[in-house]
């Protein structure tokens, strides 16, 4: 059953064409993802489909009542004092208003400050509330909140103070009460931790209704979408499956187009050569022909016929020209090997940290950041991921324990670079200022990160948040840093840019520590995982391996962490030279070896 259909939609704004010739249709029960680069107009297109924005050209046909659709936006205008429960209750304005008025009267009645008229009004409102099954409705609100995983502890928390995941749950609890024919989600995964994103993906995967959503999260699209639409300035194209299937089909299209282009170019060259050859033959035969030599004249006419036929074929090729597929710029940079050869970059020893009066985030944690690490730091919101990055980079000091950085270590912190962008500089100037690359090299690199032509002259203050993130990453990437520390580097970025960043990190010769909820990026980059969920867990292996490995107990993990620390200490002691008390040094080495042997036996 068709829910809606759009034909040849075009939208212009201030005389500028945003997109044109966009077609779309969605049937009952389908889950459709809408992809497109930042700025292409995805949200605008959805607003056109919903009837909230008029298109410049084209038609949208609604086959179900628009009142039976539900839209979840990234941002909701909510009064700062509205609680999570009230936000959900506002789905039914009449019942919500009655409940609020009844509560106001009940406060007066509790204080015995009501009048007879107010008591009469209260009775009328109460009867109306009962007639609307207000108490049953209130109980169903509670069931909706629980079903979406919002515990009673946060029901009275102001909506504005909820975490990103809690807000998403509250929004879904509100819209799903109406059992919509069509559920529309605009970037539902923004600001969600991995656990909440997994919950949302599972929930939507099992959602039997019709779904249209925008997302840059590739794993999420794979999990939820039955079909994927790509929106470009030239229109839309529909693909079967999620993001991975879309990529395979796009690559097949590119190769097919490349083959067709090369074939046409070969035919074009042959025809051009033939035209030139027949033209020369005609000219020669024509010059030799005369009225008294009919054979030479016939030969000349034959060549002109061939010449005209080849010219016509060449014109047909020009008319049906196959455009050359756009070449994707690759990040091609040669890095100097440098003189930094130490294995250990950062050593964290029995580190504890907490903010003032807060519960400790870390308690006697020990680990090392080693050369060649591609470390993913994962955990639920509030587990201390960003705090750990600040501790590693020296922006915070531990409450107890030590964090030692190698003397030659030059850490680069993504958030610091983002906050340190000069608003008055152009993109080109910002990168030139922080690198020794020539203007031509900088332009080439910026083109790889989708800053092309005049875009490089835009001032930082006029960039979107996504564009600023791109500049900050490029600036950091080509700095002198030998340790990149990245805090959610792909937030605000479209899929194309995320894949450029993944490519850059794969060829980067230094060490990388990343906090990200983008599991595609972690799959591509990470060779080690620090999990902050339910304690501290250091796993040596890829992110994909981490997801499927057998978890060990906290006690066993503690022993493994201690073993790593002792091996590091033993290595330092055995390389010590010119010691004053050699006997004491040997005793220390012996004790450490004994402890290492004991831990190995226990493990």
């Amino acid at each position: 059953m068709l829910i809606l259909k759009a034909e040849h939609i075009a939208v212009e704004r201030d005389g500028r064409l945003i997109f044109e010739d966009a077609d779309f249709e969605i049937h009952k029960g389908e889950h459709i993802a809408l992809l497109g680069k930042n700025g292409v107009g995805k949200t605008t297109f959805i607003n056109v489909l919903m009837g909230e924005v008029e298109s410049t050209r084209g038609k949208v046909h609604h086959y179900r009542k628009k009142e039976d659709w539900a839209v979840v936006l990234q941002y909701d205008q909510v009064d700062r004092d509205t609680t999570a429960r009230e936000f959900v209750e506002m789905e039914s304005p009449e019942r919500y208003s009655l409940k609020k008025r009844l509560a106001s009267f009940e406060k007066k009645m509790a204080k015995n400050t009501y009048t007879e008229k107010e008591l009469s009004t209260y009775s009328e409102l109460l009867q109306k509330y009962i007639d609307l099954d207000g108490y049953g409705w209130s109980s169903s609100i509670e069931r909706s909140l629980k079903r979406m995983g919002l515990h009673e502890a946060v029901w009275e928390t102001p909506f504005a103070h909820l975490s990103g995941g809690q807000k998403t749950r509250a929004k879904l609890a509100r819209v799903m009460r109406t059992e919509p024919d069509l559920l529309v989600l605009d970037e539902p995964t923004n600001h969600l931790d991995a656990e909440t994103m997994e919950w949302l993906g599972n929930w939507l995967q099992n959602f039997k209704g019709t779904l249209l959503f925008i997302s840059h999260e590739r794993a999420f699209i794979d999990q939820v979408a039955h079909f994927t639409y790509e929106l470009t300035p030239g229109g839309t194209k529909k693909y079967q499956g999620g993001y991975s299937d879309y990529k395979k089909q796009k690559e097949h299209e590119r190769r097919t187009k490349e083959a067709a282009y090369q074939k046409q170019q070969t035919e074009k060259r042959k025809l051009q050569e033939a035209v030139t050859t027949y033209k020369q033959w005609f000219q020669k035969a024509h010059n030799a022909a005369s009225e008294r030599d009919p054979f030479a004249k016939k030969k000349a006419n034959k060549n002109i016929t061939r010449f005209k036929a080849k010219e016509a074929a060449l014109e047909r090729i020009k008319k049906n020209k196959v455009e050359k597929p756009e070449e994707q710029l690759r990040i091609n940079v040669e890095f100097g090997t440098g003189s930094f050869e130490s294995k250990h970059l950062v050593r964290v020893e029995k580190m504890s940290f907490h903010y003032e009066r807060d519960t400790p985030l870390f308690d006697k944690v020990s680990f090392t950041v080693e050369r060649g690490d591609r470390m993913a730091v994962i955990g639920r919101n509030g587990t201390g991921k960003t705090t750990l990055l600040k501790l590693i980079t020296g922006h915070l000091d531990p409450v107890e324990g030590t964090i030692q950085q190698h003397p030659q270590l030059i850490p680069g912190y993504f958030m610091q670079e983002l906050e340190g962008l000069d608003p008055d500089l152009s993109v080109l100037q910002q990168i030139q200022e922080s690198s020794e690359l020539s203007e031509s090299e900088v332009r080439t690199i910026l083109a790889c990160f989708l800053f092309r032509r005049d875009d490089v002259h835009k001032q930082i203050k006029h960039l979107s948040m996504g564009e600023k993130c791109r500049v900050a990453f490029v600036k950091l990437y080509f700095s002198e840093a030998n340790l990149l520390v990245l805090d959610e580097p792909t937030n605000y970025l479209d899929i194309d840019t995320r894949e450029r960043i993944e490519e850059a990190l794969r060829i980067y010769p230094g060490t990388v520590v990343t906090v990200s909820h983008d599991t595609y990026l972690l799959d591509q980059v990470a060779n080690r995982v620090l999990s902050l969920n339910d304690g501290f867990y250091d796993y040596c292996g890829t992110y994909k391996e981490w997801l499927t490995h057998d978890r060990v107990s906290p006690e066993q993990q503690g022993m493994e962490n201690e073993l790593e620390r002792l091996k590091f200490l033993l290595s330092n002691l055995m390389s010590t030279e010119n010691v004053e008390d050699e006997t004491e040094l040997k005793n220390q080495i012996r004790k450490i070896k004994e402890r290492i042997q004991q831990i190995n036996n226990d493990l």
Side-chain angles (χ1 to χ4, degrees):
M1 180 190 297
L2 199 58
I3 300 290
L4 70 81
K5 183 175 183 177
E7 299 175 300
H8 309 302
I9 302 299
V11 174
E12 293 180 7
R13 289 289 179 270
D14 301 321
R16 182 176 69 88
L17 183 67
I18 299 176
F19 58 80
E20 63 179 343
D21 205 25
D23 297 328
F24 181 87
E25 62 180 46
I26 187 167
H27 294 79
K28 186 177 181 181
E30 289 181 342
H31 292 183
I32 291 181
L34 180 64
L35 300 185
K37 294 178 181 178
N38 284 346
V40 77
K42 298 184 295 295
T43 299
T44 300
F45 184 52
I46 279 188
N47 284 333
V48 170
L49 297 179
M50 297 299 102
E52 301 297 324
V53 171
E54 284 191 19
S55 62
T56 306
R57 293 188 298 278
K59 290 183 179 180
V60 179
H61 307 280
H62 294 167
Y63 298 97
R64 306 288 286 180
K65 289 190 297 182
K66 195 171 70 171
E67 292 75 18
D68 294 334
W69 299 348
V71 181
V72 177
L73 303 173
Q74 287 189 59
Y75 307 102
D76 283 275
Q77 297 296 324
V78 179
D79 187 87
R80 60 182 299 174
D81 296 323
T82 299
T83 66
R85 178 177 182 140
E86 288 173 334
F87 175 80
V88 177
E89 289 175 337
M90 287 164 68
E91 161 267 326
S92 176
E94 187 176 9
R95 291 189 184 100
Y96 173 69
S97 176
L98 282 170
K99 184 180 177 183
K100 292 281 284 184
R101 292 181 68 188
L102 287 170
S104 177
F105 278 118
E106 285 164 2
K107 282 182 182 178
K108 286 188 175 185
M109 292 165 71
K111 296 177 182 178
N112 205 25
T113 58
Y114 59 90
T115 64
E116 287 295 323
K117 185 178 180 182
E118 287 174 330
L119 183 60
S120 175
T121 302
Y122 173 78
S123 297
E124 291 173 7
L125 293 175
L126 180 59
Q127 186 57 54
K128 192 172 182 181
Y129 189 65
I130 292 171
D131 291 342
L132 290 170
D133 190 27
Y135 291 106
W137 166 79
S138 184
S139 296
S140 71
I141 292 288
E142 293 177 0
R143 288 195 297 273
S144 297
L145 288 163
K146 289 176 182 176
R147 189 167 62 247
M148 291 300 169
L150 276 177
H151 303 295
E152 291 185 47
V154 299
W155 291 359
E156 302 308 318
T157 301
F159 181 84
H161 296 169
L162 298 178
S163 69
Q166 289 170 334
K167 285 179 180 176
T168 298
R169 291 170 189 261
K171 290 175 183 179
L172 286 172
R174 175 170 165 171
V175 300
M176 291 312 299
R177 292 186 48 74
T178 62
E179 298 182 0
D181 284 337
L182 172 63
L183 176 61
V184 181
L185 306 177
D186 188 1
E187 291 286 5
T189 56
N190 271 6
H191 311 297
L192 300 189
D193 58 30
E195 185 175 333
T196 308
M197 197 181 301
E198 183 180 358
W199 169 86
L200 179 60
N202 289 333
W203 190 87
L204 289 173
Q205 189 177 25
N206 295 312
F207 174 57
K208 302 302 181 186
T210 310
L211 173 66
L212 169 60
F213 67 99
I214 297 173
S215 179
H216 295 308
E217 298 298 335
R218 293 158 288 179
F220 181 80
I221 295 169
D222 274 346
Q223 185 179 5
V224 175
H226 304 154
F227 299 95
T228 299
Y229 269 85
E230 181 184 31
L231 176 65
T232 67
T236 53
K237 188 159 186 182
K238 185 179 182 181
Y239 296 86
Q240 178 88 32
Y243 181 77
S244 296
D245 293 324
Y246 154 82
K247 281 289 285 183
K248 289 174 187 173
Q249 292 169 74
K250 286 285 286 185
E251 179 59 19
H252 177 72
E253 285 178 5
R254 189 195 66 77
R255 289 180 180 178
T256 303
K257 194 172 182 180
E258 177 68 30
Y261 173 77
Q262 294 299 341
K263 182 180 178 182
Q264 191 180 73
Q265 291 300 108
T266 301
E267 289 177 1
K268 186 178 176 182
R269 281 194 298 272
K270 287 180 179 178
L271 284 169
Q272 286 172 332
E273 289 170 5
V275 166
T276 302
T277 299
Y278 284 131
K279 197 172 184 180
Q280 290 171 347
W281 288 355
F282 167 73
Q283 197 63 46
K284 204 183 263 189
H286 179 74
N287 291 338
S290 69
E291 292 298 329
R292 296 176 186 175
D293 188 353
F295 176 75
K297 186 176 180 182
K298 187 176 181 181
K299 187 177 179 181
N301 289 336
K302 188 176 182 181
N303 284 329
I304 196 171
T305 302
R306 290 173 177 170
F307 160 60
K308 293 293 184 184
K310 296 295 181 184
E311 260 195 342
L314 188 58
E315 283 302 315
R316 283 195 297 274
I317 281 183
K318 289 179 180 177
K319 187 177 180 181
N320 301 310
K321 182 180 178 183
V322 176
E323 294 295 334
K324 185 177 182 180
E326 185 178 342
E327 290 184 25
Q328 286 229 336
L329 289 170
R330 312 303 295 176
I331 298 170
N332 184 19
V333 184
E334 290 186 12
F335 292 93
T337 55
S339 58
F340 190 87
E341 296 182 355
S342 172
K343 182 181 179 183
H344 307 291
L345 281 72
V346 181
R347 177 67 200 168
V348 179
E349 183 99 24
K350 295 185 177 179
M351 181 270 292
S352 298
F353 182 86
H354 61 83
Y355 291 100
E356 189 175 352
R357 297 179 183 175
D358 277 359
T359 305
L361 286 171
F362 305 106
D363 184 25
K364 292 184 170 40
V365 166
S366 297
F367 67 96
T368 59
V369 179
E370 300 184 350
R371 181 160 47 89
D373 273 348
R374 297 289 195 272
M375 184 183 289
V377 181
I378 64 173
R380 292 182 290 270
N381 288 343
T383 52
K385 300 185 296 295
T386 296
T387 299
L388 185 62
L389 299 190
K390 290 180 178 179
L391 287 160
I392 289 173
T393 54
H395 289 81
L396 287 175
D397 295 320
V399 174
E400 292 180 15
T402 60
I403 299 178
Q404 295 176 321
Q405 294 185 348
H406 190 280
Q408 290 181 290
L409 180 71
I410 306 174
Y413 186 34
F414 174 76
M415 287 307 298
Q416 185 179 26
E417 294 294 346
L418 183 58
E419 293 162 1
L421 295 176
D422 188 330
D424 295 319
L425 291 182
S426 70
V427 173
L428 183 64
Q429 290 168 334
Q430 186 76 77
I431 304 304
Q432 281 184 302
E433 186 185 66
S434 55
S435 74
E436 296 181 0
L437 300 172
S438 67
E439 180 175 332
S440 175
E441 288 172 321
V442 170
R443 278 179 169 272
T444 300
I445 295 301
L446 286 172
C448 291
F449 287 92
L450 310 178
F451 287 108
R452 298 189 174 101
R453 302 183 186 88
D454 291 341
D455 286 346
V456 301
H457 299 301
K458 284 184 181 177
Q459 284 184 298
I460 300 297
K461 61 187 174 186
H462 295 143
L463 300 181
S464 68
M465 191 60 186
E467 289 171 324
K468 288 177 182 176
C469 287
R470 277 191 268 154
V471 175
F473 181 80
V474 175
K475 182 182 174 186
L476 175 61
Y477 191 76
F478 293 99
S479 68
E480 296 293 319
N482 44 37
L483 170 63
L484 299 187
V485 180
L486 310 174
D487 193 354
E488 296 290 3
T490 59
N491 270 6
Y492 309 103
L493 300 182
D494 57 27
I495 291 174
D496 278 3
T497 311
R498 291 178 185 217
E499 293 182 343
R500 302 303 172 89
I501 285 178
E502 286 165 11
E503 182 189 351
L505 292 178
R506 280 196 297 270
I507 65 174
Y508 179 68
T511 301
V512 182
V513 178
T514 307
V515 167
S516 179
H517 64 261
D518 186 343
T519 56
Y520 248 74
L521 180 142
L522 299 182
D523 279 344
Q524 293 289 317
V525 173
N527 60 15
R528 185 175 168 192
V529 177
L530 286 187
S531 173
L532 307 186
N533 285 331
D534 306 316
F536 185 86
Y537 194 106
D538 186 356
Y539 177 77
C540 290
T542 66
Y543 181 74
K544 195 169 286 185
E545 290 167 344
W546 153 260
L547 293 176
T548 57
H549 86 292
D550 293 326
R551 310 290 170 92
V552 301
S553 67
E555 293 77 15
Q556 186 175 344
Q557 179 61 35
M559 286 193 288
E560 289 180 359
N561 291 343
E562 184 183 0
L563 184 63
E564 194 71 22
R565 180 180 65 82
L566 290 171
K567 286 178 179 178
F568 172 74
L569 186 57
L570 180 63
S571 174
N572 284 347
L573 289 174
M574 293 184 74
S575 61
T576 303
E577 299 178 359
N578 304 322
V579 294
E580 294 182 4
D581 191 341
E582 194 166 326
T583 303
E584 177 59 25
L585 177 63
K586 288 181 178 179
N587 283 334
Q588 288 184 42
I589 291 173
R590 178 180 55 78
K591 288 178 181 178
I592 290 173
K593 285 183 174 179
E594 288 174 355
R595 178 58 182 155
I596 288 174
Q597 184 61 47
Q598 182 185 350
I599 292 174
N600 281 328
N601 290 339
D602 291 341
L603 289 172

